[in-house]
mmCIF file of all heavy atoms in Angstrom:
data_model
loop_
_atom_site.group_PDB
_atom_site.id
_atom_site.type_symbol
_atom_site.label_atom_id
_atom_site.label_comp_id
_atom_site.label_asym_id
_atom_site.label_seq_id
_atom_site.Cartn_x
_atom_site.Cartn_y
_atom_site.Cartn_z
ATOM 1 N N LEU A 1 75.134 40.542 183.113
ATOM 2 C CA LEU A 1 75.991 41.596 182.701
ATOM 3 C C LEU A 1 77.420 41.259 182.982
ATOM 4 O O LEU A 1 78.333 41.474 182.137
ATOM 5 C CB LEU A 1 75.609 42.864 183.416
ATOM 6 C CG LEU A 1 76.549 44.088 183.265
ATOM 7 C CD1 LEU A 1 76.713 44.455 181.783
ATOM 8 C CD2 LEU A 1 76.065 45.276 184.074
ATOM 9 N N ALA A 2 77.715 40.654 184.146
ATOM 10 C CA ALA A 2 79.100 40.305 184.478
ATOM 11 C C ALA A 2 79.656 39.281 183.488
ATOM 12 O O ALA A 2 80.826 39.344 183.103
ATOM 13 C CB ALA A 2 79.115 39.698 185.916
ATOM 14 N N ALA A 3 78.803 38.338 183.058
ATOM 15 C CA ALA A 3 79.305 37.318 182.101
ATOM 16 C C ALA A 3 79.627 37.959 180.737
ATOM 17 O O ALA A 3 80.465 37.440 179.998
ATOM 18 C CB ALA A 3 78.273 36.227 181.963
ATOM 19 N N ARG A 4 78.932 39.039 180.418
ATOM 20 C CA ARG A 4 79.157 39.646 179.086
ATOM 21 C C ARG A 4 80.375 40.530 179.028
ATOM 22 O O ARG A 4 80.904 40.827 177.948
ATOM 23 C CB ARG A 4 77.939 40.477 178.720
ATOM 24 C CG ARG A 4 76.762 39.683 178.167
ATOM 25 C CD ARG A 4 75.711 40.533 177.523
ATOM 26 N NE ARG A 4 74.949 41.301 178.478
ATOM 27 C CZ ARG A 4 73.813 40.914 179.040
ATOM 28 N NH1 ARG A 4 73.300 39.752 178.765
ATOM 29 N NH2 ARG A 4 73.187 41.710 179.879
ATOM 30 N N ILE A 5 80.889 40.956 180.198
ATOM 31 C CA ILE A 5 82.029 41.870 180.195
ATOM 32 C C ILE A 5 83.264 41.267 179.495
ATOM 33 O O ILE A 5 83.849 41.949 178.625
ATOM 34 C CB ILE A 5 82.354 42.319 181.656
ATOM 35 C CG1 ILE A 5 81.214 43.194 182.161
ATOM 36 C CG2 ILE A 5 83.719 43.040 181.708
ATOM 37 C CD1 ILE A 5 81.402 43.628 183.639
ATOM 38 N N PRO A 6 83.727 40.077 179.821
ATOM 39 C CA PRO A 6 84.939 39.572 179.113
ATOM 40 C C PRO A 6 84.707 39.384 177.660
ATOM 41 O O PRO A 6 85.680 39.526 176.862
ATOM 42 C CB PRO A 6 85.218 38.244 179.892
ATOM 43 C CG PRO A 6 83.925 37.873 180.459
ATOM 44 C CD PRO A 6 83.269 39.142 180.864
ATOM 45 N N PHE A 7 83.511 39.067 177.225
ATOM 46 C CA PHE A 7 83.261 38.902 175.849
ATOM 47 C C PHE A 7 83.194 40.232 175.080
ATOM 48 O O PHE A 7 83.594 40.325 173.898
ATOM 49 C CB PHE A 7 81.960 38.112 175.646
ATOM 50 C CG PHE A 7 82.087 36.673 176.134
ATOM 51 C CD1 PHE A 7 81.847 36.384 177.457
ATOM 52 C CD2 PHE A 7 82.487 35.658 175.276
ATOM 53 C CE1 PHE A 7 81.998 35.076 177.921
ATOM 54 C CE2 PHE A 7 82.646 34.419 175.705
ATOM 55 C CZ PHE A 7 82.403 34.097 177.081
ATOM 56 N N ALA A 8 82.729 41.316 175.763
ATOM 57 C CA ALA A 8 82.820 42.620 175.131
ATOM 58 C C ALA A 8 84.255 43.057 175.002
ATOM 59 O O ALA A 8 84.616 43.673 174.003
ATOM 60 C CB ALA A 8 81.983 43.615 175.971
ATOM 61 N N LEU A 9 85.041 42.750 175.992
ATOM 62 C CA LEU A 9 86.482 43.066 175.925
ATOM 63 C C LEU A 9 87.130 42.239 174.805
ATOM 64 O O LEU A 9 88.058 42.735 174.092
ATOM 65 C CB LEU A 9 87.171 42.750 177.276
ATOM 66 C CG LEU A 9 86.755 43.647 178.433
ATOM 67 C CD1 LEU A 9 87.417 43.178 179.705
ATOM 68 C CD2 LEU A 9 87.080 45.151 178.167
ATOM 69 N N ALA A 10 86.685 41.018 174.613
ATOM 70 C CA ALA A 10 87.230 40.210 173.566
ATOM 71 C C ALA A 10 86.896 40.775 172.148
ATOM 72 O O ALA A 10 87.781 40.793 171.289
ATOM 73 C CB ALA A 10 86.705 38.733 173.655
ATOM 74 N N LEU A 11 85.700 41.212 172.021
ATOM 75 C CA LEU A 11 85.297 41.916 170.701
ATOM 76 C C LEU A 11 86.196 43.154 170.505
ATOM 77 O O LEU A 11 86.631 43.352 169.338
ATOM 78 C CB LEU A 11 83.814 42.223 170.727
ATOM 79 C CG LEU A 11 83.264 42.948 169.501
ATOM 80 C CD1 LEU A 11 83.507 42.126 168.235
ATOM 81 C CD2 LEU A 11 81.804 43.253 169.650
ATOM 82 N N ALA A 12 86.328 43.935 171.524
ATOM 83 C CA ALA A 12 87.215 45.097 171.344
ATOM 84 C C ALA A 12 88.613 44.699 171.037
ATOM 85 O O ALA A 12 89.333 45.337 170.234
ATOM 86 C CB ALA A 12 87.194 45.962 172.666
ATOM 87 N N GLY A 13 89.103 43.567 171.633
ATOM 88 C CA GLY A 13 90.458 43.084 171.302
ATOM 89 C C GLY A 13 90.552 42.638 169.847
ATOM 90 O O GLY A 13 91.575 42.837 169.225
ATOM 91 N N VAL A 14 89.520 42.038 169.343
ATOM 92 C CA VAL A 14 89.520 41.583 167.917
ATOM 93 C C VAL A 14 89.665 42.797 167.017
ATOM 94 O O VAL A 14 90.434 42.793 166.043
ATOM 95 C CB VAL A 14 88.243 40.779 167.612
ATOM 96 C CG1 VAL A 14 88.112 40.564 166.104
ATOM 97 C CG2 VAL A 14 88.240 39.492 168.315
ATOM 98 N N LEU A 15 88.919 43.897 167.312
ATOM 99 C CA LEU A 15 89.005 45.109 166.501
ATOM 100 C C LEU A 15 90.413 45.700 166.575
ATOM 101 O O LEU A 15 90.980 46.066 165.517
ATOM 102 C CB LEU A 15 87.983 46.141 166.954
ATOM 103 C CG LEU A 15 86.514 45.718 166.911
ATOM 104 C CD1 LEU A 15 85.642 46.875 167.454
ATOM 105 C CD2 LEU A 15 86.092 45.351 165.525
ATOM 106 N N ALA A 16 91.008 45.694 167.771
ATOM 107 C CA ALA A 16 92.327 46.265 167.934
ATOM 108 C C ALA A 16 93.391 45.417 167.176
ATOM 109 O O ALA A 16 94.276 45.935 166.520
ATOM 110 C CB ALA A 16 92.692 46.432 169.412
ATOM 111 N N LEU A 17 93.300 44.064 167.335
ATOM 112 C CA LEU A 17 94.258 43.193 166.719
ATOM 113 C C LEU A 17 94.214 43.300 165.176
ATOM 114 O O LEU A 17 95.243 43.234 164.522
ATOM 115 C CB LEU A 17 94.009 41.767 167.162
ATOM 116 C CG LEU A 17 94.386 41.433 168.639
ATOM 117 C CD1 LEU A 17 93.816 40.099 169.027
ATOM 118 C CD2 LEU A 17 95.914 41.463 168.815
ATOM 119 N N THR A 18 92.995 43.435 164.663
ATOM 120 C CA THR A 18 92.858 43.604 163.220
ATOM 121 C C THR A 18 93.485 44.886 162.731
ATOM 122 O O THR A 18 94.211 44.925 161.686
ATOM 123 C CB THR A 18 91.368 43.599 162.829
ATOM 124 O OG1 THR A 18 90.796 42.375 163.276
ATOM 125 C CG2 THR A 18 91.200 43.696 161.316
ATOM 126 N N TRP A 19 93.326 45.982 163.478
ATOM 127 C CA TRP A 19 93.937 47.268 163.145
ATOM 128 C C TRP A 19 95.473 47.135 163.107
ATOM 129 O O TRP A 19 96.145 47.497 162.154
ATOM 130 C CB TRP A 19 93.523 48.314 164.159
ATOM 131 C CG TRP A 19 93.847 49.746 163.687
ATOM 132 C CD1 TRP A 19 93.047 50.606 163.065
ATOM 133 C CD2 TRP A 19 95.104 50.425 163.893
ATOM 134 N NE1 TRP A 19 93.689 51.792 162.836
ATOM 135 C CE2 TRP A 19 94.956 51.701 163.312
ATOM 136 C CE3 TRP A 19 96.292 50.070 164.472
ATOM 137 C CZ2 TRP A 19 95.968 52.632 163.349
ATOM 138 C CZ3 TRP A 19 97.346 51.005 164.445
ATOM 139 C CH2 TRP A 19 97.206 52.282 163.922
ATOM 140 N N TYR A 20 96.023 46.569 164.209
ATOM 141 C CA TYR A 20 97.497 46.522 164.242
ATOM 142 C C TYR A 20 98.090 45.490 163.266
ATOM 143 O O TYR A 20 99.182 45.696 162.762
ATOM 144 C CB TYR A 20 97.934 46.138 165.701
ATOM 145 C CG TYR A 20 97.859 47.289 166.630
ATOM 146 C CD1 TYR A 20 96.848 47.488 167.548
ATOM 147 C CD2 TYR A 20 98.902 48.271 166.595
ATOM 148 C CE1 TYR A 20 96.807 48.560 168.418
ATOM 149 C CE2 TYR A 20 98.845 49.388 167.441
ATOM 150 C CZ TYR A 20 97.820 49.509 168.336
ATOM 151 O OH TYR A 20 97.756 50.606 169.172
ATOM 152 N N ALA A 21 97.359 44.415 163.007
ATOM 153 C CA ALA A 21 97.810 43.471 161.997
ATOM 154 C C ALA A 21 97.917 44.118 160.624
ATOM 155 O O ALA A 21 98.916 43.969 159.932
ATOM 156 C CB ALA A 21 96.883 42.244 161.927
ATOM 157 N N THR A 22 96.897 44.879 160.262
ATOM 158 C CA THR A 22 96.923 45.554 158.967
ATOM 159 C C THR A 22 97.975 46.624 158.960
ATOM 160 O O THR A 22 98.721 46.758 157.940
ATOM 161 C CB THR A 22 95.556 46.223 158.722
ATOM 162 O OG1 THR A 22 94.500 45.265 158.936
ATOM 163 C CG2 THR A 22 95.449 46.757 157.299
ATOM 164 N N TYR A 23 98.164 47.313 160.046
ATOM 165 C CA TYR A 23 99.192 48.351 160.091
ATOM 166 C C TYR A 23 100.578 47.774 159.840
ATOM 167 O O TYR A 23 101.361 48.287 159.009
ATOM 168 C CB TYR A 23 99.219 49.025 161.473
ATOM 169 C CG TYR A 23 100.288 50.062 161.638
ATOM 170 C CD1 TYR A 23 100.065 51.387 161.277
ATOM 171 C CD2 TYR A 23 101.493 49.737 162.241
ATOM 172 C CE1 TYR A 23 101.056 52.319 161.404
ATOM 173 C CE2 TYR A 23 102.517 50.680 162.405
ATOM 174 C CZ TYR A 23 102.277 51.981 161.976
ATOM 175 O OH TYR A 23 103.263 52.936 162.138
ATOM 176 N N HIS A 24 100.906 46.607 160.419
ATOM 177 C CA HIS A 24 102.250 46.040 160.253
ATOM 178 C C HIS A 24 102.376 45.422 158.832
ATOM 179 O O HIS A 24 103.478 45.494 158.249
ATOM 180 C CB HIS A 24 102.487 44.951 161.315
ATOM 181 C CG HIS A 24 102.679 45.549 162.707
ATOM 182 N ND1 HIS A 24 103.642 46.439 163.008
ATOM 183 C CD2 HIS A 24 101.984 45.313 163.867
ATOM 184 C CE1 HIS A 24 103.562 46.757 164.294
ATOM 185 N NE2 HIS A 24 102.582 46.086 164.826
ATOM 186 N N LEU A 25 101.311 44.842 158.323
ATOM 187 C CA LEU A 25 101.412 44.265 156.961
ATOM 188 C C LEU A 25 101.569 45.421 155.920
ATOM 189 O O LEU A 25 102.337 45.252 154.982
ATOM 190 C CB LEU A 25 100.204 43.446 156.669
ATOM 191 C CG LEU A 25 100.059 42.144 157.427
ATOM 192 C CD1 LEU A 25 98.807 41.440 157.129
ATOM 193 C CD2 LEU A 25 101.231 41.212 157.055
ATOM 194 N N ALA A 26 100.830 46.471 156.116
ATOM 195 C CA ALA A 26 100.933 47.583 155.166
ATOM 196 C C ALA A 26 102.215 48.354 155.271
ATOM 197 O O ALA A 26 102.616 49.149 154.385
ATOM 198 C CB ALA A 26 99.738 48.537 155.342
ATOM 199 N N HIS A 27 102.926 48.200 156.402
ATOM 200 C CA HIS A 27 104.211 48.843 156.626
ATOM 201 C C HIS A 27 105.386 48.125 156.034
ATOM 202 O O HIS A 27 106.499 48.665 156.001
ATOM 203 C CB HIS A 27 104.429 49.116 158.119
ATOM 204 C CG HIS A 27 105.254 50.287 158.435
ATOM 205 N ND1 HIS A 27 106.600 50.256 158.402
ATOM 206 C CD2 HIS A 27 104.886 51.565 158.836
ATOM 207 C CE1 HIS A 27 107.090 51.470 158.743
ATOM 208 N NE2 HIS A 27 106.045 52.291 159.009
ATOM 209 N N THR A 28 105.144 46.879 155.554
ATOM 210 C CA THR A 28 106.224 46.186 154.920
ATOM 211 C C THR A 28 106.578 46.846 153.586
ATOM 212 O O THR A 28 105.807 47.498 152.965
ATOM 213 C CB THR A 28 105.884 44.708 154.682
ATOM 214 O OG1 THR A 28 104.701 44.687 153.840
ATOM 215 C CG2 THR A 28 105.583 44.001 156.002
ATOM 216 N N GLU A 29 107.823 46.663 153.184
ATOM 217 C CA GLU A 29 108.311 47.272 151.938
ATOM 218 C C GLU A 29 107.545 46.893 150.718
ATOM 219 O O GLU A 29 107.243 47.729 149.842
ATOM 220 C CB GLU A 29 109.849 46.946 151.798
ATOM 221 C CG GLU A 29 110.478 47.713 150.602
ATOM 222 C CD GLU A 29 111.946 47.503 150.543
ATOM 223 O OE1 GLU A 29 112.497 46.906 151.469
ATOM 224 O OE2 GLU A 29 112.562 47.934 149.569
ATOM 225 N N ALA A 30 107.181 45.619 150.640
ATOM 226 C CA ALA A 30 106.459 45.134 149.446
ATOM 227 C C ALA A 30 105.043 45.730 149.314
ATOM 228 O O ALA A 30 104.514 45.854 148.229
ATOM 229 C CB ALA A 30 106.386 43.620 149.464
ATOM 230 N N ALA A 31 104.459 46.120 150.460
ATOM 231 C CA ALA A 31 103.108 46.601 150.457
ATOM 232 C C ALA A 31 103.033 48.126 150.212
ATOM 233 O O ALA A 31 101.948 48.665 149.976
ATOM 234 C CB ALA A 31 102.400 46.268 151.771
ATOM 235 N N ARG A 32 104.146 48.794 150.289
ATOM 236 C CA ARG A 32 104.106 50.232 150.146
ATOM 237 C C ARG A 32 103.735 50.663 148.715
ATOM 238 O O ARG A 32 104.052 49.963 147.748
ATOM 239 C CB ARG A 32 105.454 50.810 150.525
ATOM 240 C CG ARG A 32 105.831 50.636 152.021
ATOM 241 C CD ARG A 32 107.244 51.142 152.282
ATOM 242 N NE ARG A 32 107.636 50.855 153.666
ATOM 243 C CZ ARG A 32 108.841 51.027 154.178
ATOM 244 N NH1 ARG A 32 109.758 51.523 153.393
ATOM 245 N NH2 ARG A 32 109.040 50.759 155.407
ATOM 246 N N PRO A 33 103.171 51.831 148.578
ATOM 247 C CA PRO A 33 102.806 52.318 147.239
ATOM 248 C C PRO A 33 104.068 52.722 146.442
ATOM 249 O O PRO A 33 105.117 53.008 147.033
ATOM 250 C CB PRO A 33 101.908 53.548 147.514
ATOM 251 C CG PRO A 33 102.300 54.014 148.870
ATOM 252 C CD PRO A 33 102.693 52.767 149.631
ATOM 253 N N LEU A 34 103.926 52.742 145.129
ATOM 254 C CA LEU A 34 105.054 53.104 144.308
ATOM 255 C C LEU A 34 105.402 54.601 144.426
ATOM 256 O O LEU A 34 104.535 55.436 144.642
ATOM 257 C CB LEU A 34 104.656 52.843 142.799
ATOM 258 C CG LEU A 34 104.530 51.366 142.409
ATOM 259 C CD1 LEU A 34 104.002 51.239 141.009
ATOM 260 C CD2 LEU A 34 105.818 50.624 142.566
ATOM 261 N N PRO A 35 106.626 54.942 144.311
ATOM 262 C CA PRO A 35 106.992 56.359 144.294
ATOM 263 C C PRO A 35 106.466 57.064 143.059
ATOM 264 O O PRO A 35 106.453 56.492 141.975
ATOM 265 C CB PRO A 35 108.566 56.319 144.327
ATOM 266 C CG PRO A 35 108.894 54.991 143.801
ATOM 267 C CD PRO A 35 107.806 54.039 144.203
ATOM 268 N N LEU A 36 106.030 58.317 143.214
ATOM 269 C CA LEU A 36 105.545 59.060 142.092
ATOM 270 C C LEU A 36 106.669 59.799 141.400
ATOM 271 O O LEU A 36 107.699 60.111 141.990
ATOM 272 C CB LEU A 36 104.489 60.059 142.605
ATOM 273 C CG LEU A 36 103.304 59.416 143.360
ATOM 274 C CD1 LEU A 36 102.346 60.533 143.859
ATOM 275 C CD2 LEU A 36 102.592 58.444 142.529
ATOM 276 N N ALA A 37 106.438 60.064 140.107
ATOM 277 C CA ALA A 37 107.501 60.665 139.276
ATOM 278 C C ALA A 37 107.947 62.007 139.791
ATOM 279 O O ALA A 37 109.120 62.337 139.752
ATOM 280 C CB ALA A 37 106.951 60.779 137.809
ATOM 281 N N PHE A 38 106.959 62.808 140.288
ATOM 282 C CA PHE A 38 107.308 64.166 140.781
ATOM 283 C C PHE A 38 107.210 64.273 142.298
ATOM 284 O O PHE A 38 107.043 65.340 142.854
ATOM 285 C CB PHE A 38 106.389 65.183 140.098
ATOM 286 C CG PHE A 38 106.516 65.244 138.618
ATOM 287 C CD1 PHE A 38 105.587 64.529 137.828
ATOM 288 C CD2 PHE A 38 107.549 65.887 138.027
ATOM 289 C CE1 PHE A 38 105.691 64.531 136.446
ATOM 290 C CE2 PHE A 38 107.668 65.901 136.648
ATOM 291 C CZ PHE A 38 106.739 65.212 135.851
ATOM 292 N N GLY A 39 107.277 63.138 142.976
ATOM 293 C CA GLY A 39 107.230 63.155 144.430
ATOM 294 C C GLY A 39 105.805 63.286 144.941
ATOM 295 O O GLY A 39 104.852 63.289 144.157
ATOM 296 N N GLY A 40 105.700 63.410 146.242
ATOM 297 C CA GLY A 40 104.400 63.544 146.874
ATOM 298 C C GLY A 40 103.710 62.222 147.219
ATOM 299 O O GLY A 40 102.550 62.208 147.563
ATOM 300 N N GLU A 41 104.472 61.107 147.106
ATOM 301 C CA GLU A 41 103.832 59.838 147.461
ATOM 302 C C GLU A 41 103.645 59.745 148.974
ATOM 303 O O GLU A 41 104.252 60.452 149.751
ATOM 304 C CB GLU A 41 104.695 58.640 146.990
ATOM 305 C CG GLU A 41 106.037 58.523 147.618
ATOM 306 C CD GLU A 41 107.111 59.334 146.958
ATOM 307 O OE1 GLU A 41 106.732 60.098 145.979
ATOM 308 O OE2 GLU A 41 108.277 59.296 147.330
ATOM 309 N N ALA A 42 102.772 58.857 149.343
ATOM 310 C CA ALA A 42 102.405 58.693 150.767
ATOM 311 C C ALA A 42 103.635 58.205 151.601
ATOM 312 O O ALA A 42 104.364 57.334 151.145
ATOM 313 C CB ALA A 42 101.284 57.749 150.918
ATOM 314 N N GLN A 43 103.769 58.744 152.794
ATOM 315 C CA GLN A 43 104.800 58.245 153.705
ATOM 316 C C GLN A 43 104.395 56.896 154.249
ATOM 317 O O GLN A 43 103.223 56.677 154.480
ATOM 318 C CB GLN A 43 104.999 59.265 154.859
ATOM 319 C CG GLN A 43 105.506 60.600 154.423
ATOM 320 C CD GLN A 43 106.856 60.515 153.724
ATOM 321 O OE1 GLN A 43 107.750 59.832 154.271
ATOM 322 N NE2 GLN A 43 107.024 61.156 152.592
ATOM 323 N N PRO A 44 105.316 56.013 154.436
ATOM 324 C CA PRO A 44 104.997 54.642 154.836
ATOM 325 C C PRO A 44 104.130 54.552 156.107
ATOM 326 O O PRO A 44 103.198 53.775 156.190
ATOM 327 C CB PRO A 44 106.336 53.995 155.004
ATOM 328 C CG PRO A 44 107.273 54.725 154.123
ATOM 329 C CD PRO A 44 106.771 56.133 154.139
#
């Protein structure tokens, strides 16, 4: 069990890093959705 603890933390770290990597890439200006003609587009 002790040997598995750092590897479970590593798996959790992979999930977190993937989330934050996608967040920053999707927050770039080129990745943002197009503005809608009558407004209401998603906030970045």
Side-chain angles (χ1 to χ4, degrees):
L1 172 58
R4 281 193 288 267
I5 290 176
F7 292 87
L9 295 176
L11 178 58
V14 170
L15 299 180
L17 288 168
T18 303
W19 192 95
Y20 281 104
T22 310
Y23 178 85
H24 290 303
L25 290 175
H27 207 279
T28 58
E29 185 174 352
R32 294 176 184 174
L34 292 173
L36 303 179
F38 299 99
E41 65 273 4
Q43 296 299 313

